[in-house]
Amino acid sequence: MRRRRAGRAIAWSYVIGVLAFLYLPLGPPLMFSVLSGGQNGLTLRWYRELWGNALLVGGIQNSLLIGALVGLVTPPLALLAAMAVRELRLARLIVLTVLMPLFIPGVSMGLATAFFFRELGITPSFWTITGVHVLWALPFAFLIILAVMATFDPVYLEAAYLHGANRLRAFLDVELPLIRHGILGAGIFSVILSFNETTRTALVQGPLNTVQTYIWSTFLQVGLSPTLYALMSLLITLTLALVAVLLVIGARGAVSPRAG
Amino acid sequence: MGEVQGRHVSHGVRSVGTLARYGLLALPLAFVASLLWVPLGLMFVWSFWERAGFWIRPAFTFSSYADFLYGVRLLVLERSLVVAATVTLASLMLAYPIAYFLSMGVRLELARAVLLLFTVPFLVNYIIRTFSWVYLLSRTGPVNRALIAIGVTDRSVDWLLFSDFAVFVGLISSYMPFMIYPLWAALDGIDRRLVEASWLLGASPRRTFLRVTLPLSMPGVFAAVIFGFVGSFGESAVPIILGGVGYQLMGNTITSALDVLNYPLAAAMSSVVVATMLLFLGAWYLAFDLRAVLGKIAWWRF
């Protein structure tokens, strides 16, 4: 018994050690963003300077708008894909197709879509970035919605059909209320992924900047600066806040009635 | 008469409805096909075209592949394969015990909570996290100070940053969290009675693990290997930030070919990367059942 307990302690300290390794890189930007560089310690100056940079403010606006679009478009697409898995034949092939963007390295995905847009004569814009972000977020949103839909028993749908509801009615009145939190979660996850994407975006951005491509190109041109660290800290904070929202939604969803 | 007509109309409506339903369900597939399959296919075609001023023109030449395979870039391919294999193996060794412990030794709710903790850093842009490693591993950074403080070394260690080691650290911390999921899903899906049967038949824990648990978790291992390999093989930012000047992997060699407007070369190298991934994926698809990894997520027929 004692030996078993010691084993568990070792296992937990290993898990915590690896977690620490993964969380460690979240700290330095926060630290550098408030160091003044002078003798007297801390400052919020770098955060104030962010708003004076027109290029960056434009990038922030673009990121917010693209993030919102991605958050709105991805969940319905992912929901349709999950329903296709349930209702169509060749489900294995459908799953693999929808998961495909996960398996293609970012550079290749960005390059292929950038060439594709260029050959079609589509100038890089808002929409090209949004399209590539939706493609990147789709497999994640799909897996989240698939997981939530698996907790729903299709027998309820059949009960609705027996009472004369058509497919759309049955879906809207019976299934949607029960998987709503999964769709919302998928949406927020998509927004987070869109906010944090650089490699693919950098190849289809054209003249536009997102926050992330701004950070990347500034790093390549002039290196890191306290202002960039302030920006990174804001992004880390925003991401963590969105994760918190995701958790609240998940907890609510877990309380809602489930079929078993 | 009226009834027949009515039935006819409703039949028409139903078939339009069915068509609309299939159309809707196929929408995401059409989206992935047109924005991923088609561009990847075209990229392969373009890799045989030739340079023309600032863009490319139709041709059928292997010169980009020759450029790639006979030049120094072949060394880049070799190094990328070695780095990706090393990172994948190291990540697997780090991740497997965690996935094993979470699936075998912990309640389901707790396991899910811990898995969530592994997701959070993954969601923060890995480039931002990679910048942090520059500071953490630098000569005067915390890691060196800690090493000196505990007496491992009396002078700063140089090879922590701008080295293979730094690239390994950056790649592992970027892609390892992602590998825990398929491992956990596969381990969690193992029928416990098989493990118990092995015990009852007198196998030692070690033997049980090697002969029962490990083989049954192979679909997850293979999925995790694909995730780790895709990430580190095609990665472009980490070698630029942590590798130091002149550190070339496939990813940043592709972007530097783009910088000098050699589009066919970029397309050729990118096609090699994608083909490698598709080989892995094809092998996985043929060897394992998708259900072994997704089984816990969706129990409908596959």
Side-chain angles (χ1 to χ4, degrees):
Chain A
M1 201 62 209
R2 174 167 294 183
R3 203 172 138 199
R4 192 177 151 76
R5 193 171 292 173
R8 290 186 71 81
I10 292 170
W12 275 118
S13 39
Y14 176 69
V15 170
I16 290 165
V18 175
L19 278 172
F21 166 72
L22 295 174
Y23 277 81
L24 195 60
L26 300 186
L30 299 171
M31 183 181 90
F32 285 125
S33 71
V34 292
L35 289 181
S36 64
Q39 291 289 322
N40 44 6
L42 306 180
T43 176
L44 287 177
R45 189 180 134 203
W46 314 119
Y47 286 91
R48 280 196 300 276
E49 280 188 5
L50 287 179
W51 309 110
N53 184 336
L55 198 62
L56 173 58
V57 172
I60 293 175
Q61 284 169 350
N62 288 337
S63 278
L64 289 174
L65 200 56
I66 292 167
L69 275 171
V70 173
L72 285 176
V73 172
T74 316
L77 264 186
L79 175 65
L80 286 173
M83 292 175 93
V85 171
R86 189 170 65 186
E87 313 214 344
L88 301 185
R89 256 171 268 166
L90 293 173
R92 245 153 75 90
L93 207 61
I94 296 173
V95 170
L96 207 63
T97 305
V98 178
L99 292 186
M100 189 57 74
L102 275 184
F103 298 106
I104 302 299
V107 180
S108 300
M109 192 199 278
L111 192 66
T113 44
F115 281 10
F116 181 61
F117 289 139
R118 182 155 172 181
E119 274 302 296
L120 285 182
I122 301 171
T123 29
S125 68
F126 232 73
W127 301 106
T128 56
I129 301 179
T130 307
V132 170
H133 282 193
V134 171
L135 187 64
W136 166 231
L138 184 63
F140 295 93
F142 169 70
L143 286 175
I144 293 173
I145 292 179
L146 208 58
V148 174
M149 272 170 79
T151 64
F152 171 80
D153 192 339
V155 150
Y156 288 160
L157 286 178
E158 278 167 32
Y161 299 150
L162 286 178
H163 284 83
N166 62 23
R167 282 178 180 276
L168 182 67
R169 206 49 293 137
F171 171 73
L172 290 178
D173 288 350
V174 179
E175 185 168 14
L176 188 62
L178 289 173
I179 62 169
R180 206 177 40 197
H181 64 280
I183 295 173
L184 201 58
I188 291 170
F189 211 90
S190 307
V191 173
I192 296 175
L193 287 171
S194 165
F195 272 148
N196 285 293
E197 162 38 44
T198 309
T199 322
R200 295 162 186 82
T201 320
L203 289 158
V204 293
Q205 68 184 124
L208 290 179
N209 257 313
T210 64
V211 176
Q212 299 293 350
T213 62
Y214 175 84
I215 293 178
W216 182 236
S217 55
T218 311
F219 162 74
L220 290 180
Q221 285 157 18
V222 294
L224 297 171
S225 63
T227 329
L228 272 195
Y229 282 121
L231 185 56
M232 292 181 209
S233 306
L234 283 182
L235 286 168
I236 293 175
T237 315
L238 180 66
T239 303
L240 295 183
L242 284 172
V243 171
V245 174
L246 207 58
L247 286 185
V248 172
I249 291 170
R252 283 233 187 116
V255 190
S256 77
R258 280 189 192 200
Chain B
M1 186 71 186
E3 202 190 321
V4 172
Q5 217 170 11
R7 197 183 294 162
H8 183 75
V9 168
S10 84
H11 184 72
V13 167
R14 193 182 305 156
S15 65
V16 168
T18 311
L19 212 63
R21 197 167 72 85
Y22 281 121
L24 265 179
L25 291 180
L27 198 63
L29 303 175
F31 176 75
V32 176
S34 61
L35 215 54
L36 193 65
W37 285 116
V38 173
L40 287 177
L42 286 175
M43 185 173 69
F44 183 61
V45 172
W46 288 324
S47 67
F48 296 102
W49 289 18
E50 57 188 16
R51 299 177 68 171
F54 295 118
W55 190 225
I56 47 177
R57 69 162 165 250
F60 185 71
T61 165
F62 287 94
S63 64
S64 296
Y65 287 94
D67 244 18
F68 172 36
L69 295 174
Y70 294 111
V72 282
R73 295 189 187 90
L74 190 61
L75 293 177
V76 173
L77 176 64
E78 271 176 36
R79 179 192 260 181
S80 295
L81 288 172
V82 171
V83 167
T86 314
V87 166
T88 307
L89 196 68
S91 302
L92 203 57
M93 312 266 263
L94 278 171
Y96 197 96
I98 295 175
Y100 184 85
F101 175 60
L102 291 180
S103 65
M104 303 288 170
V106 171
R107 274 179 303 117
L108 185 63
E109 302 91 71
L110 188 58
R112 282 187 197 279
V114 176
L115 283 172
L116 194 88
L117 284 178
F118 279 100
T119 322
V120 176
F122 168 78
L123 288 171
V124 173
N125 186 333
Y126 74 94
I127 291 179
I128 293 180
R129 285 183 285 135
T130 307
F131 286 143
S132 297
W133 284 115
V134 177
Y135 161 69
L136 293 167
L137 297 174
S138 67
R139 202 171 295 205
T140 54
V143 174
N144 256 319
R145 267 180 284 157
L147 287 178
I148 293 171
I150 58 172
V152 175
T153 167
D154 49 3
R155 220 172 345 157
S156 291
V157 184
D158 273 339
W159 49 261
L160 287 182
L161 188 59
F162 303 135
S163 60
D164 280 325
F165 176 80
V167 173
F168 289 160
V169 169
L171 290 174
I172 290 172
S173 73
S174 298
Y175 296 104
M176 190 270 278
F178 213 71
M179 295 170 64
I180 295 179
Y181 289 88
L183 291 173
W184 174 78
L187 283 163
D188 200 57
I190 293 175
D191 190 337
R192 290 308 133 82
R193 283 170 300 184
L194 294 174
V195 177
E196 282 157 22
S198 170
W199 288 344
L200 287 176
L201 292 170
S204 66
R206 201 185 119 137
R207 197 171 154 80
T208 302
F209 174 75
L210 289 177
R211 299 295 292 273
V212 179
T213 315
L214 187 62
L216 284 173
S217 69
M218 279 321 273
V221 171
F222 207 84
V225 164
I226 294 180
F227 282 133
F229 202 87
V230 182
S232 38
F233 188 53
E235 176 47 46
S236 58
V238 171
I240 294 178
I241 302 170
L242 291 175
V245 180
Y247 195 99
Q248 298 273 310
L249 292 183
M250 284 299 276
N252 58 329
T253 310
I254 293 173
T255 51
S256 51
L258 285 179
D259 290 339
V260 297
L261 306 179
N262 196 341
Y263 297 116
L265 179 64
M269 288 193 290
S270 189
S271 296
V272 170
V273 173
V274 172
T276 314
M277 286 352 298
L278 293 181
L279 272 177
F280 265 103
L281 217 52
W284 185 53
Y285 188 74
L286 291 178
F288 301 112
D289 195 337
L290 220 50
R291 268 176 299 193
V293 176
L294 290 176
K296 283 277 158 167
I297 291 183
W299 40 260
W300 320 305
R301 68 197 157 81
F302 264 91

